[in-house]
């Protein structure tokens, strides 16, 4: 007698197996974020173990071990939030896949931090407070610990909300809040704070104006020409050479300057030479690549793809060299104060501390970076290779101008401001074209208000969320830092 199930029993078995498969898929989907969090926690523990190896596990060194854990936490958050500004435009323009962008960014960020991150870091970011005002070494250590924890928490919250914020401003707010809690309002360098507050407006506006200006130039000189391919052969090598020269200057100021002292004039000469060499190399290459192309905008976009990839990689290298200090600055201050029993405005960074910062940024990018990369690349406004090129070039030019003028600007605000600038320029340009009279009938095309709102090219909800996060970054980080400092001071007394 056969023991095989009947038809209805087979159907029931198939249904049960399908339900089990759906449960397994749902479990995998829910547990995926927990895997990333688990890996991040393991890295933080590893950072603490590394600190214990170098300092030992004596009671007085437990503060260094804790600081290493929170320094790793801050580095992971910088990778999750800040790196999106460099890679977002390239991914949004489909010049890079998400995986390719993360791999390139991780390598370039780590290389920038380890090769050009410098041996000395200013522990009191941008001279916000005077270390001499905090006479007690123990109080100074707790102030730096509070600044480290608060800035990491704020960047973590901003990443969760989906707002790219300035990690530099987060650290500045953390240091300011802990300083006020430790020694009062007089400890803060208020003129420096005023300059930083001004940069909230200067950075994104300048970045947006420069990006919009380059997009207007590309439209006028290439896209609106009768022979787009011939125009591309003339102007694309010029734009690529300009980009190479600007990035060479940018890297000389923000990367190589950490290893060899380079002034603005020397950096500009380096940029000029690199730009001319790049033009000489790219002109024949672009001419060959453009042969046989159709006279369409889509063809022009292909010519900007490779330069955009290089620009994203160079931005990541410079970011790693410049912003690793946000993760390891307060940690380096705590290590120095614990080791020597005192504190300085500038201290040397131990190699193991720099390694924590460099690898933490890469881990954060791998584990949590895609969310903000998508936000910057595709959810604020639609980007293509030409628009993304304008954003990347704007970021480098604006930092150079700010360095020349001595303005404390945020690379995050500049890059996202460039994305806003491109989007708002496209809205303005569309409105301008709609107002032109139709030559066939001599009238202006009328559009209903609902259709006009639908055609807005910048998502207003994201715009308001990001601007609000920028405005409250310093006061929010300062408030959190002051509260953490007070708690630490009470618990350890």
């Amino acid at each position: 007698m056969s023991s095989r199930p009947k038809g209805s029993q087979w159907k029931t078995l198939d249904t049960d197996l399908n339900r089990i498969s759906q449960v397994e898929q749902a479990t995998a989907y829910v547990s995926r974020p927990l895997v990333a969090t688990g890996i991040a926690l393991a890295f933080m523990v590893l950072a603490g173990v590394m600190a214990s190896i170098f300092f030992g596990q004596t009671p007085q060194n437990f503060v260094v071990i804790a600081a290493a854990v929170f320094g790793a936490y801050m580095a992971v958050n910088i990778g999750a939030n800040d790196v999106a500004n460099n890679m977002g435009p390239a991914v949004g323009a489909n010049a890079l896949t998400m995986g390719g962008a993360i791999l390139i960014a991780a390598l370039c960020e780590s290389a920038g931090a380890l090769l050009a991150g410098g041996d000395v870091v200013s522990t009191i970011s941008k001279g916000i407070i005077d270390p001499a005002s905090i006479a007690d070494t123990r109080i100074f250590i707790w102030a730096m610990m509070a600044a480290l924890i608060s800035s990491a928490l704020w960047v973590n919250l901003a990443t969760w909300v989906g707002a790219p914020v300035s990690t530099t401003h987060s650290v500045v707010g953390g240091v300011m809040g802990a300083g006020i809690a430790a020694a009062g309002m007089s400890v803060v360098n208020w003129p420096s704070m005023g300059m930083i507050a001004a940069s909230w407006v200067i950075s994104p506006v300048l970045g947006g104006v420069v990006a919009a200006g380059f997009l207007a130039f590309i439209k006028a000189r290439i896209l609106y020409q009768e022979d787009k391919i011939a125009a591309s052969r003339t102007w694309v090598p010029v734009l690529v050479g300009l980009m190479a020269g600007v990035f060479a200057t940018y890297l000389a100021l923000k990367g190589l300057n950490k290893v060899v002292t380079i002034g603005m004039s020397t950096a500009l000469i380096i940029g000029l030479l690199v730009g001319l060499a790049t033009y000489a190399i790219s002109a024949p290459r672009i001419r060959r690549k453009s042969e046989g192309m159709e006279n369409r905008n889509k063809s022009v976009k292909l010519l900007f793809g490779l330069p955009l990839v290089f620009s994203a990689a160079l931005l990541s290298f410079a970011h790693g060299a410049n912003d690793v200090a946000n993760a390891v600055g307060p940690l380096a201050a705590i290590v120095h104060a614990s080791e020597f029993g005192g504190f300085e405005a500038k201290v040397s960074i131990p190699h193991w501390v720099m390694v924590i910062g460099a690898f933490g940024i890469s881990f954060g990018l791998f584990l949590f970076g895609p969310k903000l990369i998508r936000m910057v690349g595709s959810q604020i406004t639609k980007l293509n290779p030409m628009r993304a090129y304008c954003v990347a070039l704007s970021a480098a030019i604006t930092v150079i101008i700010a360095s020349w003028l001595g303005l404390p600007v945020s690379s995050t605000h500049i890059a996202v401001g460039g994305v806003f600038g491109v989007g708002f320029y496209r809205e303005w340009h569309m409105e301008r074209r709609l107002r032109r009279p139709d030559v066939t009938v001599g009238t202006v095309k009328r559009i209903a208000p609902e259709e006009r709102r639908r055609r807005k090219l910048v998502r207003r909800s994201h715009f308001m969320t990001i601007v609000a996060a920028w405005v409250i970054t310093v006061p929010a980080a300062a408030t959190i830092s002051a509260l953490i400092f007070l708690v630490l001071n009470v618990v350890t007394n």
Side-chain angles (χ1 to χ4, degrees):
M1 184 175 177
S2 176
S3 60
R4 290 180 56 187
K6 296 181 179 179
S8 60
Q9 291 175 313
W10 277 115
K11 186 179 294 185
T12 302
L13 180 60
D14 289 342
T15 302
D16 291 340
L17 290 174
N18 185 45
R19 287 173 179 170
I20 292 171
S21 176
Q22 290 176 348
V23 170
E24 289 176 343
Q25 291 175 1
T27 303
Y29 180 80
V30 171
S31 63
R32 199 175 302 154
L34 299 179
V35 172
T37 303
I39 295 173
L41 289 173
F43 173 71
M44 291 164 60
V45 171
L46 183 62
V49 171
M50 187 183 299
S52 69
I53 292 173
F54 283 95
F55 272 78
Q57 299 183 22
T58 60
Q60 60 267 30
N61 289 335
F62 279 133
V63 65
V64 175
I65 297 172
V69 172
F70 286 114
Y73 175 46
M74 178 61 175
V76 169
N77 281 297
I78 290 176
N81 192 290
D82 228 16
V83 181
N85 309 315
N86 307 324
M87 286 296 164
V91 174
N94 294 320
L96 278 172
T97 62
M98 181 65 75
I102 290 175
L103 179 60
I104 291 172
L107 293 174
C108 292
E109 289 278 341
S110 299
L114 296 173
L115 299 178
D119 298 322
V120 176
V121 64
S122 174
T123 58
I124 309 302
S125 186
K126 299 188 186 300
I128 294 306
I129 66 173
D130 180 11
S133 300
I134 307 175
D136 190 340
T137 301
R138 184 185 66 83
I139 296 296
F140 176 79
I141 289 175
W142 291 132
M144 289 297 101
M145 183 75 81
L148 188 58
I149 298 172
S150 64
S151 55
L153 287 172
W154 173 251
V155 176
N156 197 165
L157 177 62
T159 304
W160 180 70
V161 171
V165 296
S166 169
T167 54
T168 303
H169 287 181
S170 300
V171 173
V172 166
V175 171
M176 183 185 75
I180 291 173
M185 300 288 286
S186 61
V187 75
V188 179
N189 185 341
W190 292 108
S192 293
M193 282 305 305
M195 291 289 288
I196 290 172
S199 76
W200 296 342
V201 178
I202 294 171
S203 298
V205 170
L206 195 56
V209 168
V210 173
F214 276 105
L215 183 58
F217 180 87
I218 290 172
K219 284 181 176 291
R221 295 295 180 181
I222 301 177
L223 299 183
Y224 292 159
Q225 295 296 313
E226 186 173 345
D227 190 341
K228 296 177 175 60
I229 304 303
S232 297
R233 290 170 180 167
T234 301
W235 287 110
V236 172
V238 174
L239 291 170
V240 172
L242 176 63
M243 183 196 74
V246 167
F247 273 98
T249 304
Y250 178 80
L251 287 172
L253 290 173
K254 308 299 284 186
L256 295 178
N257 197 34
K258 303 293 180 67
V259 181
V260 181
T261 301
I262 296 176
M264 177 62 76
S265 58
T266 305
L268 289 173
I269 292 172
I270 293 173
L272 177 62
L273 294 176
V274 172
L276 291 174
T278 303
Y279 172 81
I281 295 170
S282 63
R285 180 185 176 280
I286 288 172
R287 181 172 294 277
R288 288 194 302 270
K289 187 174 181 179
S290 63
E291 290 178 357
M293 281 186 168
E294 296 183 45
N295 189 31
R296 298 192 303 163
N297 289 354
K298 186 176 180 180
S299 301
V300 179
K301 294 175 186 178
L302 297 175
L303 301 177
F304 283 90
L306 187 60
L308 184 57
V309 173
F310 279 108
S311 70
L314 293 173
L315 275 175
S316 291
F317 181 89
H319 178 269
N322 194 55
D323 279 25
V324 69
N326 292 332
V328 302
L331 172 57
I334 293 171
V335 170
H336 180 87
S338 299
E339 189 172 3
F340 299 103
F343 42 86
E344 304 290 341
K346 291 180 180 288
V347 298
S348 297
I349 304 178
H351 291 299
W352 66 271
V353 172
M354 188 64 79
V355 167
I356 288 175
F359 282 91
I361 291 174
S362 297
F363 269 109
L365 173 64
F366 269 112
L367 298 174
F368 308 107
K371 179 178 181 180
L372 265 294
I373 289 176
R374 293 189 189 96
M375 163 68 77
V376 174
S378 59
Q379 295 179 12
I380 296 174
T381 192
K382 185 175 176 57
L383 296 175
N384 60 26
M386 289 170 291
R387 298 167 198 156
Y389 163 89
C390 294
V391 173
L393 188 59
S394 165
I397 289 177
T398 305
V399 169
I400 292 170
I401 294 172
S403 298
W404 178 51
L405 297 176
L407 298 174
V409 294
S410 163
S411 58
T412 299
H413 291 192
I414 293 169
V416 178
V419 175
F420 285 138
V422 164
F424 284 125
Y425 170 78
R426 292 176 62 219
E427 284 190 7
W428 172 83
H429 188 68
M430 181 186 69
E431 290 283 341
R432 183 167 168 263
R433 294 182 69 185
L434 290 175
R435 291 195 189 102
R436 291 178 181 172
D438 190 329
V439 294
T440 58
V441 295
T443 60
V444 177
K445 185 178 180 180
R446 303 293 181 185
I447 298 179
E450 295 80 9
E451 177 66 11
R452 193 174 295 274
R453 281 195 295 271
R454 191 186 67 80
R455 291 192 182 192
K456 289 189 182 299
L457 303 177
V458 178
R459 292 184 65 176
R460 296 308 193 265
S461 59
H462 290 325
F463 175 75
M464 296 307 297
T465 299
I466 292 171
V467 170
W470 286 353
V471 170
I472 66 172
T473 288
V474 170
T479 302
I480 297 170
S481 181
L483 293 174
I484 291 174
F485 172 80
L486 293 173
V487 171
L488 289 174
N489 201 32
V490 169
V491 170
T492 56
N493 274 336

